[in-house]
Amino acid sequence: MKRLTDELRKKHLKVTPQRLAIYNYLSQTTSHPNVESIYNALKPDYPSISIATVYKNVASLRDAGLISEINVGEDCCRYDAETKFHPHLVCKKCGTVIDCFFDDNDCCLASVKDKIKKDLDFDIENETLYFYGICSKCRE
Amino acid sequence: MKRLTDELRKKHLKVTPQRLAIYNYLSQTTSHPNVESIYNALKPDYPSISIATVYKNVASLRDAGLISEINVGEDCCRYDAETKFHPHLVCKKCGTVIDCFFDDNDCCLASVKDKIKKDLDFDIENETLYFYGICSKCRE
DNA sequence: CTATATGCAAATTGTTTGCATCATA
DNA sequence: TATGATGCAAACAATTTGCATATAG
């Protein structure tokens, strides 16, 4: 929390109750909610919150590098408070997006990234890796 | 061409001039065009073509597994006649999407995919891997 | 002759914008 | 008290839909 307000102030972003609530909600869930879900989740505690405010805040938090945006081909984006790279699994049946944390997440792409730099002269800043399929619950 | 018409008929999709033109255009370019670009490229030869027809056709070709959809976080999708898995590089400055064909594209993700199946009990059907950064031209 | 596709315009949906008011720094 | 944020409604842009007509199988 302290770290968040410091980061915000460093970027000249004001520490507002709505902004904190959005970040906190993202920190407490693994559901990778979209804007509408965040909005609906916060409405009980923040009855006057506007969906435009949620849109503006996920954009500012993303631009500040404090949250990450997930685009698995739906008609809207999802958001995640975890900004360290990790692959995501997307169930084609139920739509769930599952985090994939392995010890070697960082190095599993190392050789490809190396080739991209050397062979294609491209400077990588970040990457996304999505696996699409059927989750264990849906297979039953 | 023969293969395409066979595949279409097998799926009860009619072989129309517009459908063939869309597929052919995608086969002949590496620019990963979006619907509007495809529409603009075909309009000279097909003056009566509708953008709704392009939308419907990229969807039917994608569902038939004949083209693939690329979603790198823009406000619209791009399309690619190459359906075999390969990573894409996305330049954050000029927006270009570059194909990444390496001999070991298939096996570079093998160990992660293996763990996803064994540890998370998730059946992978396909995947997307996008690298974001700055291309060599934009760095100059 | 039947089933699917086309092309047009209208409708829909996620997202952005303009602006007056409000709160943080 | 100045700068950035909120909340609302209107605007926007990508995409989908309904439907009459046309064309492939």
Side-chain angles (χ1 to χ4, degrees):
Chain A
M1 216 54 221
K2 181 68 167 51
R3 193 196 139 249
L4 178 65
T5 60
D6 286 352
E7 287 290 327
L8 289 174
R9 294 211 173 100
K10 206 186 299 175
K11 302 224 157 74
H12 304 287
L13 294 173
K14 291 187 173 171
V15 179
T16 67
Q18 293 90 336
R19 186 163 280 161
L20 293 178
I22 290 166
Y23 183 85
N24 281 336
Y25 178 62
L26 288 175
S27 302
Q28 288 158 15
T29 181
T30 57
S31 70
H32 312 90
N34 58 23
V35 164
E36 207 187 339
S37 302
I38 299 171
Y39 173 67
N40 288 325
L42 298 185
K43 223 171 5 181
D45 283 344
Y46 299 81
S48 76
I49 199 171
S50 157
I51 197 156
T53 297
V54 182
Y55 273 107
K56 287 167 186 164
N57 272 296
V58 292
S60 60
L61 291 168
R62 176 203 59 204
D63 293 345
L66 295 165
I67 64 172
S68 66
E69 194 170 66
I70 300 173
N71 191 326
V72 296
E74 296 165 314
D75 46 12
C76 57
C77 291
R78 291 162 171 267
Y79 296 89
D80 191 339
E82 176 60 67
T83 54
K84 216 177 67 205
F85 168 71
H86 58 285
H88 288 96
L89 311 181
V90 185
C91 179
K92 287 180 176 179
K93 211 161 184 178
C94 65
T96 312
V97 176
I98 303 163
D99 286 315
C100 196
F101 290 114
F102 291 134
D103 293 339
D104 55 351
N105 273 348
D106 275 334
C107 64
C108 83
L109 297 175
S111 72
V112 198
K113 291 171 81 170
D114 208 57
K115 257 188 256 178
I116 287 168
K117 176 63 194 157
K118 283 185 182 142
D119 297 6
L120 301 170
D121 193 27
F122 184 94
D123 280 340
I124 297 170
E125 287 174 8
N126 61 289
E127 61 265 356
T128 63
L129 175 54
Y130 302 140
F131 293 99
Y132 298 85
I134 305 294
C135 73
S136 54
K137 283 190 183 166
C138 286
R139 197 182 328 112
E140 285 166 13
Chain B
M1 217 51 218
K2 181 66 167 53
R3 190 195 143 251
L4 178 66
T5 60
D6 285 353
E7 287 291 326
L8 289 174
R9 294 210 173 99
K10 206 187 297 177
K11 301 222 156 73
H12 304 287
L13 294 173
K14 292 186 174 174
V15 180
T16 67
Q18 292 89 338
R19 186 162 281 160
L20 293 179
I22 290 166
Y23 183 86
N24 281 336
Y25 178 61
L26 288 175
S27 303
Q28 289 158 15
T29 182
T30 57
S31 70
H32 311 91
N34 59 20
V35 164
E36 206 186 340
S37 302
I38 299 171
Y39 173 69
N40 288 326
L42 298 185
K43 220 167 15 177
D45 282 343
Y46 299 81
S48 76
I49 199 169
S50 159
I51 197 155
T53 297
V54 181
Y55 272 107
K56 287 167 187 166
N57 272 296
V58 292
S60 60
L61 290 168
R62 176 203 59 205
D63 293 345
L66 295 165
I67 64 172
S68 67
E69 196 170 66
I70 299 173
N71 192 325
V72 296
E74 297 164 314
D75 48 9
C76 59
C77 291
R78 290 164 171 265
Y79 296 89
D80 191 339
E82 177 60 68
T83 55
K84 214 177 70 206
F85 168 71
H86 59 284
H88 288 97
L89 311 182
V90 184
C91 179
K92 286 179 175 179
K93 208 160 186 180
C94 65
T96 312
V97 176
I98 303 163
D99 287 313
C100 195
F101 291 114
F102 291 134
D103 294 338
D104 56 350
N105 272 348
D106 276 333
C107 63
C108 81
L109 297 175
S111 72
V112 199
K113 290 172 81 170
D114 208 56
K115 258 189 257 181
I116 288 168
K117 175 63 194 155
K118 283 184 182 140
D119 297 5
L120 301 170
D121 194 27
F122 184 94
D123 281 340
I124 297 170
E125 288 174 8
N126 60 289
E127 61 267 357
T128 64
L129 175 55
Y130 302 140
F131 293 98
Y132 298 85
I134 305 294
C135 73
S136 54
K137 281 190 184 166
C138 286
R139 196 181 329 112
E140 286 166 14

